[in-house]
Amino acid sequence: MGSMGPLKIGHLTAKLPVIQGGMGVGISLSSLAGHVAKMGGIGIISTAQIGFREPDFSENPLRANLRAIGDELKKARKIADGGIVGFNIMVATKQYEEYVKEAVRQGADVIISGAGLPIRMPEYVKEAEEENHHTMIAPIVSSEKSAMVICKMWDRKYHIAPDFVVIEGPLAGGHLGFSEDTLHQLGADSADVPKTFHAEEYDAEVVKIVKLVKTYADKYQKEIPVILAGGIYEYQDVVHAFSLGADGVQVATRFVTTVECDAPDAYKMAYIRAKKEDIVITKSPVGMPGRAIRNAFLEQVADGKGLKPNPCYRCLEMCDPAKVPYCITRALVNAAKGDVEHALLFCGSNAYRADRIETVEEVLLSLTEDTE
């Protein structure tokens, strides 16, 4: 279908060099991931509170989530028709080890991990793998420094290098791997990001990461594709990513307003209605900056009227239920259920550009072919 591609990751080959980014809670599940994989990209299911619809979710979220990992992968596989499907698993997740092992046991093709450095992911994957299956693994990094740390650790401790690396830039949605100061220095915290973002400065960082990864590829005599994410919205963005040395792109926001996305219609319409000035940087309950759509909920949080953790869903390692301004699980589950005015609506910097509902096929075509 596309004029770009393929993307080779170890024994896997995707027809198109596009990975669909993981979006939780409940935004990238089996439908979106399955259809992206069917069309030649790599479909990614987010494990963030993936079992939120399970009847026992409130009383035992871990059990519900682990069960849902297998269920969602099976459903995605039926849609994907042999395409590549995997998971995004946040390092910050409580019992991260259990999520990784369950994803591997269920036969995930790939696992991508960010929101922290996945230092021990190779160990967990190896413990859960069977002889006839190998899950490809990738860390998400945002700087040469973080890439250096993870590559050095995996090299020294496990004598391996990543199968691929995802670079997530400051224009991404959801939790960001940058301090508020760094976002400000890069001009990525403005409501008018296209005019303020210091693209050349971050491009230079991307080139450094690509160069670093190449040294480990040479050492282990393997190809390690580098995938660029954050603000990728159209064909020219993909071309630019390749010019920096990337082998593929990861795209999330653009897929939200597709027919096949697992998000409810109200969530998709929130993107379509959003204006440029509605895309803001907010602080999550655990102190990390994140990008979201300004709505009534964020205004209530600013006034100290957030949703308290009751019950606590034990989702993130760094969360102290007694101190957080609101429960991020409740806020994201509300979004996944369509209660958008009482929800945290994570999004990328280009969310305001969505003006209609598309299909996954249309999005992949617009990303990989010059249609102008």
Short mmCIF file of all heavy atoms in Angstrom, two decimals, residues 167-204:
data_model
loop_
_atom_site.label_atom_id
_atom_site.label_comp_id
_atom_site.label_asym_id
_atom_site.label_seq_id
_atom_site.Cartn_x
_atom_site.Cartn_y
_atom_site.Cartn_z
N ILE A 167 12.52 6.69 20.10
CA ILE A 167 12.85 8.02 20.61
C ILE A 167 11.55 8.81 20.67
O ILE A 167 10.90 9.05 19.64
CB ILE A 167 13.83 8.77 19.69
CG1 ILE A 167 15.11 7.97 19.47
CG2 ILE A 167 14.15 10.15 20.27
CD1 ILE A 167 16.05 8.59 18.43
N GLU A 168 11.15 9.22 21.86
CA GLU A 168 9.90 9.97 22.02
C GLU A 168 10.22 11.42 22.33
O GLU A 168 10.76 11.74 23.39
CB GLU A 168 9.04 9.36 23.12
CG GLU A 168 7.61 9.86 23.09
CD GLU A 168 6.70 9.03 23.99
OE1 GLU A 168 6.23 7.97 23.53
OE2 GLU A 168 6.49 9.45 25.13
N GLY A 169 9.92 12.29 21.40
CA GLY A 169 10.24 13.71 21.53
C GLY A 169 9.24 14.48 22.36
O GLY A 169 8.22 13.95 22.82
N PRO A 170 9.49 15.78 22.54
CA PRO A 170 8.67 16.61 23.44
C PRO A 170 7.32 17.02 22.89
O PRO A 170 6.55 17.68 23.60
CB PRO A 170 9.56 17.85 23.66
CG PRO A 170 10.41 17.92 22.44
CD PRO A 170 10.66 16.51 22.02
N LEU A 171 6.97 16.63 21.67
CA LEU A 171 5.65 16.96 21.12
C LEU A 171 4.66 15.82 21.28
O LEU A 171 3.54 15.89 20.79
CB LEU A 171 5.77 17.34 19.64
CG LEU A 171 6.71 18.50 19.30
CD1 LEU A 171 6.63 18.84 17.82
CD2 LEU A 171 6.39 19.73 20.15
N ALA A 172 5.08 14.78 22.00
CA ALA A 172 4.23 13.59 22.18
C ALA A 172 3.06 13.89 23.12
O ALA A 172 2.98 14.95 23.75
CB ALA A 172 5.06 12.45 22.74
N GLY A 173 2.16 12.93 23.23
CA GLY A 173 1.02 13.06 24.13
C GLY A 173 1.24 12.29 25.42
O GLY A 173 2.17 11.50 25.54
N GLY A 174 0.37 12.55 26.38
CA GLY A 174 0.47 11.83 27.65
C GLY A 174 1.69 12.24 28.44
O GLY A 174 2.21 13.35 28.29
N HIS A 175 2.17 11.34 29.30
CA HIS A 175 3.35 11.63 30.11
C HIS A 175 4.58 11.83 29.21
O HIS A 175 4.79 11.07 28.27
CB HIS A 175 3.63 10.48 31.08
CG HIS A 175 2.67 10.45 32.24
ND1 HIS A 175 1.90 9.36 32.52
CD2 HIS A 175 2.38 11.38 33.17
CE1 HIS A 175 1.15 9.61 33.60
NE2 HIS A 175 1.42 10.83 34.00
N LEU A 176 5.35 12.84 29.52
CA LEU A 176 6.52 13.18 28.71
C LEU A 176 7.80 12.92 29.49
O LEU A 176 7.86 13.12 30.70
CB LEU A 176 6.45 14.66 28.31
CG LEU A 176 5.19 15.06 27.53
CD1 LEU A 176 5.13 16.57 27.36
CD2 LEU A 176 5.14 14.36 26.18
N GLY A 177 8.83 12.51 28.77
CA GLY A 177 10.11 12.21 29.41
C GLY A 177 11.01 13.42 29.51
O GLY A 177 12.22 13.32 29.30
N PHE A 178 10.42 14.56 29.83
CA PHE A 178 11.16 15.81 29.93
C PHE A 178 10.71 16.57 31.17
O PHE A 178 9.54 16.48 31.56
CB PHE A 178 10.92 16.70 28.70
CG PHE A 178 11.32 16.09 27.40
CD1 PHE A 178 10.45 15.24 26.72
CD2 PHE A 178 12.56 16.32 26.85
CE1 PHE A 178 10.80 14.66 25.52
CE2 PHE A 178 12.93 15.75 25.65
CZ PHE A 178 12.05 14.90 24.98
N SER A 179 11.61 17.33 31.75
CA SER A 179 11.22 18.21 32.85
C SER A 179 10.46 19.40 32.28
O SER A 179 10.57 19.70 31.07
CB SER A 179 12.46 18.70 33.61
OG SER A 179 13.22 19.57 32.78
N GLU A 180 9.73 20.10 33.14
CA GLU A 180 9.03 21.30 32.67
C GLU A 180 10.01 22.35 32.16
O GLU A 180 9.72 23.05 31.19
CB GLU A 180 8.18 21.86 33.82
CG GLU A 180 6.99 20.98 34.17
CD GLU A 180 6.18 21.52 35.32
OE1 GLU A 180 5.31 22.37 35.07
OE2 GLU A 180 6.41 21.10 36.48
N ASP A 181 11.16 22.44 32.80
CA ASP A 181 12.19 23.41 32.37
C ASP A 181 12.68 23.09 30.96
O ASP A 181 12.83 23.99 30.12
CB ASP A 181 13.37 23.41 33.33
CG ASP A 181 13.06 24.12 34.64
OD1 ASP A 181 12.03 24.84 34.69
OD2 ASP A 181 13.82 23.95 35.61
N THR A 182 12.93 21.80 30.70
CA THR A 182 13.41 21.40 29.38
C THR A 182 12.35 21.64 28.32
O THR A 182 12.65 22.12 27.21
CB THR A 182 13.82 19.92 29.37
OG1 THR A 182 14.85 19.72 30.34
CG2 THR A 182 14.32 19.49 28.00
N LEU A 183 11.09 21.33 28.63
CA LEU A 183 10.00 21.60 27.69
C LEU A 183 9.95 23.08 27.35
O LEU A 183 9.74 23.47 26.19
CB LEU A 183 8.66 21.14 28.28
CG LEU A 183 8.44 19.63 28.38
CD1 LEU A 183 7.17 19.34 29.16
CD2 LEU A 183 8.36 19.00 26.99
N HIS A 184 10.15 23.93 28.38
CA HIS A 184 10.12 25.37 28.16
C HIS A 184 11.31 25.82 27.31
O HIS A 184 11.16 26.63 26.38
CB HIS A 184 10.13 26.10 29.51
CG HIS A 184 10.03 27.59 29.38
ND1 HIS A 184 8.88 28.21 28.93
CD2 HIS A 184 10.95 28.58 29.61
CE1 HIS A 184 9.07 29.53 28.89
NE2 HIS A 184 10.32 29.77 29.30
N GLN A 185 12.48 25.28 27.60
CA GLN A 185 13.68 25.64 26.83
C GLN A 185 13.54 25.26 25.37
O GLN A 185 14.03 25.97 24.48
CB GLN A 185 14.90 24.95 27.43
CG GLN A 185 15.35 25.50 28.79
CD GLN A 185 16.32 24.58 29.50
OE1 GLN A 185 16.85 23.63 28.92
NE2 GLN A 185 16.56 24.87 30.77
N LEU A 186 12.86 24.14 25.10
CA LEU A 186 12.66 23.69 23.73
C LEU A 186 11.48 24.38 23.05
O LEU A 186 11.24 24.17 21.86
CB LEU A 186 12.45 22.17 23.70
CG LEU A 186 13.67 21.30 24.00
CD1 LEU A 186 13.27 19.85 24.20
CD2 LEU A 186 14.71 21.41 22.87
N GLY A 187 10.73 25.18 23.82
CA GLY A 187 9.55 25.83 23.26
C GLY A 187 8.42 24.86 22.99
O GLY A 187 7.56 25.10 22.14
N ALA A 188 8.40 23.75 23.73
CA ALA A 188 7.40 22.71 23.50
C ALA A 188 6.24 22.81 24.49
O ALA A 188 5.38 21.93 24.51
CB ALA A 188 8.04 21.34 23.59
N ASP A 189 6.22 23.86 25.31
CA ASP A 189 5.15 24.00 26.30
C ASP A 189 4.18 25.12 25.95
O ASP A 189 3.29 25.45 26.72
CB ASP A 189 5.74 24.24 27.69
CG ASP A 189 6.58 25.52 27.75
OD1 ASP A 189 6.93 26.06 26.69
OD2 ASP A 189 6.88 25.97 28.88
N SER A 190 4.34 25.70 24.77
CA SER A 190 3.49 26.81 24.35
C SER A 190 2.21 26.28 23.73
O SER A 190 2.14 25.17 23.22
CB SER A 190 4.24 27.66 23.33
OG SER A 190 3.38 28.54 22.65
N ALA A 191 1.16 27.11 23.78
CA ALA A 191 -0.09 26.74 23.11
C ALA A 191 0.08 26.81 21.60
O ALA A 191 -0.72 26.25 20.85
CB ALA A 191 -1.22 27.67 23.55
N ASP A 192 1.11 27.51 21.14
CA ASP A 192 1.37 27.64 19.71
C ASP A 192 2.69 26.96 19.36
O ASP A 192 3.63 27.57 18.85
CB ASP A 192 1.42 29.12 19.32
CG ASP A 192 1.25 29.31 17.82
OD1 ASP A 192 1.04 28.31 17.11
OD2 ASP A 192 1.32 30.46 17.35
N VAL A 193 2.74 25.65 19.66
CA VAL A 193 3.96 24.87 19.50
C VAL A 193 4.59 25.00 18.10
O VAL A 193 5.80 25.13 17.98
CB VAL A 193 3.72 23.38 19.86
CG1 VAL A 193 4.84 22.50 19.34
CG2 VAL A 193 3.61 23.24 21.37
N PRO A 194 3.80 24.95 17.01
CA PRO A 194 4.44 25.03 15.68
C PRO A 194 5.35 26.24 15.50
O PRO A 194 6.32 26.17 14.76
CB PRO A 194 3.24 25.09 14.73
CG PRO A 194 2.15 24.39 15.46
CD PRO A 194 2.35 24.78 16.90
N LYS A 195 5.04 27.33 16.18
CA LYS A 195 5.85 28.54 16.03
C LYS A 195 6.99 28.62 17.04
O LYS A 195 7.99 29.29 16.81
CB LYS A 195 4.96 29.78 16.17
CG LYS A 195 4.01 30.00 15.00
CD LYS A 195 3.25 31.32 15.17
CE LYS A 195 2.32 31.56 13.97
NZ LYS A 195 1.55 32.82 14.13
N THR A 196 6.85 27.95 18.17
CA THR A 196 7.82 28.12 19.25
C THR A 196 8.83 26.99 19.38
O THR A 196 9.89 27.16 19.97
CB THR A 196 7.10 28.26 20.61
OG1 THR A 196 6.35 27.07 20.87
CG2 THR A 196 6.15 29.45 20.60
N PHE A 197 8.51 25.83 18.85
CA PHE A 197 9.35 24.65 19.08
C PHE A 197 10.71 24.80 18.40
O PHE A 197 10.80 25.09 17.21
CB PHE A 197 8.64 23.40 18.56
CG PHE A 197 9.40 22.12 18.76
CD1 PHE A 197 9.94 21.79 20.00
CD2 PHE A 197 9.61 21.24 17.70
CE1 PHE A 197 10.64 20.61 20.19
CE2 PHE A 197 10.31 20.07 17.87
CZ PHE A 197 10.83 19.76 19.12
N HIS A 198 11.77 24.56 19.16
CA HIS A 198 13.14 24.62 18.64
C HIS A 198 13.48 23.27 18.00
O HIS A 198 14.21 22.46 18.58
CB HIS A 198 14.12 24.95 19.76
CG HIS A 198 13.82 26.26 20.43
ND1 HIS A 198 14.43 26.64 21.60
CD2 HIS A 198 12.99 27.28 20.09
CE1 HIS A 198 13.98 27.84 21.97
NE2 HIS A 198 13.10 28.23 21.07
N ALA A 199 12.95 23.05 16.82
CA ALA A 199 13.08 21.75 16.17
C ALA A 199 14.54 21.37 15.92
O ALA A 199 14.93 20.21 16.13
CB ALA A 199 12.31 21.74 14.85
N GLU A 200 15.35 22.33 15.49
CA GLU A 200 16.74 22.02 15.16
C GLU A 200 17.49 21.49 16.38
O GLU A 200 18.32 20.59 16.29
CB GLU A 200 17.47 23.26 14.62
CG GLU A 200 16.88 23.81 13.34
CD GLU A 200 15.72 24.77 13.59
OE1 GLU A 200 15.36 24.96 14.77
OE2 GLU A 200 15.18 25.29 12.61
N GLU A 201 17.18 22.06 17.55
CA GLU A 201 17.85 21.65 18.77
C GLU A 201 17.53 20.21 19.12
O GLU A 201 18.43 19.42 19.47
CB GLU A 201 17.44 22.58 19.92
CG GLU A 201 18.25 22.41 21.18
CD GLU A 201 17.91 23.43 22.25
OE1 GLU A 201 17.38 24.52 21.90
OE2 GLU A 201 18.16 23.14 23.43
N TYR A 202 16.27 19.83 19.00
CA TYR A 202 15.93 18.44 19.32
C TYR A 202 16.35 17.50 18.20
O TYR A 202 16.73 16.36 18.48
CB TYR A 202 14.44 18.27 19.64
CG TYR A 202 14.21 16.93 20.30
CD1 TYR A 202 14.68 16.69 21.60
CD2 TYR A 202 13.61 15.88 19.62
CE1 TYR A 202 14.55 15.44 22.19
CE2 TYR A 202 13.47 14.63 20.21
CZ TYR A 202 13.94 14.41 21.50
OH TYR A 202 13.82 13.19 22.09
N ASP A 203 16.32 17.97 16.97
CA ASP A 203 16.81 17.14 15.86
C ASP A 203 18.25 16.71 16.11
O ASP A 203 18.64 15.56 15.82
CB ASP A 203 16.73 17.91 14.54
CG ASP A 203 15.32 18.02 14.00
OD1 ASP A 203 14.41 17.40 14.60
OD2 ASP A 203 15.12 18.70 12.98
N ALA A 204 19.06 17.63 16.63
CA ALA A 204 20.46 17.31 16.92
C ALA A 204 20.56 16.21 17.96
O ALA A 204 21.45 15.34 17.89
CB ALA A 204 21.19 18.57 17.40
#
